[in-house]
Amino acid sequence: MKFPIYLDYHATTPVDPEVLQTMIPYFTEIFGNAASRNHEFGWTAEAAVEKARQQIAHFIGAHEKEIIFTSGATESNNLALMGVAEMYQEKGKHIITSPIEHKSILDTCHFLEKKGFSITYLKVDSYGQVSPESVRNAMTPQTILVSIMAANNEIGTINSIGEIGKVCKERSVLFHTDAVQAVGKIPLNVESMGVDLLSLTAHKIYGPKGIAALYVRRRNPRVRLTPLIYGGGHERGMRSGTLNVPGIVGMGKAVELAQKEMSEEVPRIQRLRDRLWEKIQENLDEVYLNGHPTDRLPNNLNVSFAYVEGESLMMGMKELAVSSGSACTSASLEPSYVLKHIGVGEDLAHTSIRFGLGRFTTQEEIDFAAEKVVCIVKKLRELSPLYEMVKEGVDLKTVSWAAH
Ligand SMILES: *Cc1c(COP(=O)(O)O)cnc(C)c1O
């Protein structure tokens, strides 16, 4: 085993060796600009780009002309929201989203609010799900866009995208979904799900960083977007700039692999995730699952450990590369906004750990991780007077200082 053990596949993934091999020639021999129309170098590059476009389109049930390449899902999300807002503002200035979207959605919404748009942040339930009914109820004649993520990057909860899509279709409101975490984990089809815009990114599915796509519906209805970037009219005018050919080729390959491996890989990873959760539950009490018990990504486990201190917990797990529910990097030490919105208290949010499994996770690693977590939590609890009192049956509500 190599240490630290990588269990942060929601943050990013390593490039699959097969993806890398496919990319390499496009840095050197096949270096042409895909927009060069007058010679072989350009044609070869363009052919490679178009192949990748088809691979990606095919995977989500789209037409290749509906795939726009961008620099990341952050850009895809910005383009979807800003592009629709700018293009359709005559029709209305109301957008519906959820408060637990990725920051690239939320920060864009905050910017649009400053520009005079009104944004509804729908309440999510205690699992982090958006009810299709709440989407319907929030709609007004001014609503131009609904943006709801397919699966959450922290707690792994999956939304009923098809149901939400149906509501949007009924009202002829455009529907965008950030499907970054869902791609390769659950089946996605823009037709059957009624999706008009969909964001995906390569580096979360074993492709390279810095390349992503936005699906933009071309028929029923034809979606038009005001670009964020001008200069040359690439990508049907929606995203100018010389294409990142090696990145695009890598993304195409990554999608091809995801499609090929999904039926075998997803159950394998899910078994490992379930094994980790079982081992934690068998050996520890006062542990809480965050997110939906079944409508969740197969590779996600998000758990709060009561009666330990968040920072000590992370410090004790240096051999595991995981994420915690408190943003230790920021000076403020704010707990996760996602956990806050699903009603997890501040204490439990600070002691939550996100385990993100992936293609290269082994059973040996999972068994080590489980043992490590159990061991450190037990050790920290031995130092916790609160935990001692709970074990002795003291009702903490009667202890005045316990709240602090
Ligand atoms: C990682 C992530 C993004 C951002 O993607 P980048 O390609 O890194 O810009 C957006 N949404 C979700 C849900 C993510 O997990």
Side-chain angles (χ1 to χ4, degrees):
M1 255 188 302
K2 274 207 296 201
F3 294 102
I5 294 169
Y6 191 73
L7 289 171
D8 206 11
Y9 280 82
H10 299 292
T12 194
T13 62
V15 172
D16 189 291
E18 239 187 284
V19 169
L20 178 63
Q21 284 312 311
T22 312
M23 290 172 70
I24 285 173
Y26 291 89
F27 288 102
T28 51
E29 296 109 76
I30 320 175
F31 63 86
N33 185 326
S36 298
R37 290 284 148 79
N38 303 309
H39 50 70
E40 184 79 26
F41 295 89
W43 303 330
T44 320
E46 196 200 4
V49 166
E50 292 319 307
K51 183 183 170 194
R53 211 188 287 282
Q54 275 171 20
Q55 286 168 320
I56 295 160
H58 182 232
F59 191 40
I60 58 169
H63 187 276
E64 62 260 28
K65 289 207 171 112
E66 300 178 308
I67 302 298
I68 305 295
F69 288 112
T70 66
S71 66
T74 297
E75 185 188 336
S76 297
N77 286 343
N78 271 261
L79 177 57
L81 268 61
M82 308 254 271
V84 167
E86 182 77 25
M87 183 64 78
Y88 295 86
Q89 57 183 321
E90 307 285 272
K91 190 180 167 227
K93 294 184 114 179
H94 180 230
I95 292 171
I96 298 171
T97 188
S98 94
I100 63 168
E101 298 292 311
H102 189 263
K103 284 289 182 190
S104 54
I105 294 287
L106 295 176
D107 288 350
T108 306
C109 284
H110 296 148
F111 173 79
L112 287 169
E113 279 177 309
K114 282 192 208 139
K115 293 281 159 192
F117 286 82
S118 95
I119 316 279
T120 299
Y121 301 91
L122 296 174
K123 274 207 167 61
V124 293
D125 67 15
S126 61
Y127 298 129
Q129 281 181 324
V130 170
S131 94
E133 204 45 46
S134 73
V135 176
R136 182 183 281 115
N137 293 338
M139 282 183 177
T140 75
Q142 275 70 50
T143 309
I144 52 171
L145 179 69
V146 171
S147 180
I148 300 293
M149 69 202 321
N152 186 271
N153 46 301
E154 283 190 33
I155 54 176
T157 295
I158 296 167
N159 273 311
S160 311
I161 291 304
E163 296 297 308
I164 298 170
K166 210 180 288 169
V167 170
C168 294
K169 282 280 156 304
E170 276 167 25
R171 301 290 185 91
S172 299
V173 170
L174 295 179
F175 179 35
H176 168 255
T177 187
D178 173 349
V180 166
Q181 295 289 341
V183 172
K185 313 293 187 304
I186 58 171
L188 291 170
N189 184 296
V190 292
E191 284 309 320
S192 67
M193 292 175 153
V195 169
D196 299 308
L197 296 137
L198 181 146
S199 303
L200 69 161
T201 190
H203 78 97
K204 307 270 172 98
I205 54 166
Y206 313 98
K209 293 167 184 60
I211 184 71
L214 179 65
Y215 155 77
V216 184
R217 180 175 286 281
R218 205 172 53 128
R219 289 213 181 92
N220 308 314
R222 181 185 190 88
V223 178
R224 295 182 313 132
L225 296 179
T226 302
L228 296 173
I229 296 171
Y230 294 87
H234 309 69
E235 301 298 275
R236 294 169 51 216
M238 286 185 252
R239 209 288 190 175
S240 288
T242 300
L243 290 176
N244 170 2
V245 178
I248 289 169
V249 167
M251 184 170 180
K253 188 68 186 180
V255 164
E256 184 195 312
L257 288 182
Q259 188 159 18
K260 201 172 82 188
E261 304 289 327
M262 218 168 131
S263 63
E264 189 269 329
E265 183 170 285
V266 165
R268 185 187 76 84
I269 292 174
Q270 182 159 344
R271 272 196 299 277
L272 290 179
R273 191 271 315 271
D274 293 344
R275 183 183 176 94
L276 176 58
W277 182 217
E278 277 159 24
K279 281 175 180 281
I280 290 172
Q281 282 179 292
E282 268 167 29
N283 293 290
L284 295 171
D285 53 10
E286 302 284 346
V287 293
Y288 303 96
L289 180 71
N290 298 312
H292 200 283
T294 52
D295 291 342
R296 77 183 296 123
L297 290 172
N299 63 330
N300 175 284
L301 180 65
N302 190 314
V303 182
S304 292
F305 300 89
Y307 308 110
V308 298
E309 204 261 309
E311 211 153 336
S312 314
L313 181 59
M314 285 301 279
M315 294 285 274
M317 302 205 304
K318 288 254 166 76
E319 285 135 313
L320 309 182
V322 293
S323 276
S324 92
S326 55
C328 305
T329 45
S330 80
S332 57
L333 218 92
E334 277 282 300
S336 143
Y337 67 94
V338 173
L339 295 177
K340 190 178 128 198
H341 279 284
I342 63 169
V344 176
E346 206 160 308
D347 286 354
L348 282 177
H350 276 303
T351 64
S352 78
I353 302 287
R354 178 185 70 180
F355 302 91
L357 288 66
R359 183 171 292 168
F360 305 106
T361 306
T362 64
Q363 184 166 312
E364 196 187 13
E365 288 177 331
I366 287 304
D367 289 350
F368 180 90
E371 259 174 54
K372 192 79 217 171
V373 172
V374 168
C375 173
I376 184 74
V377 171
K378 281 189 172 161
K379 202 149 86 188
L380 292 173
R381 282 178 179 175
E382 275 170 24
L383 306 172
S384 160
L386 278 186
Y387 184 68
E388 287 303 305
M389 290 171 74
V390 170
K391 290 294 96 181
E392 284 157 20
V394 178
D395 182 359
L396 287 187
K397 286 186 203 76
T398 65
V399 184
S400 62
W401 50 265
H404 308 283

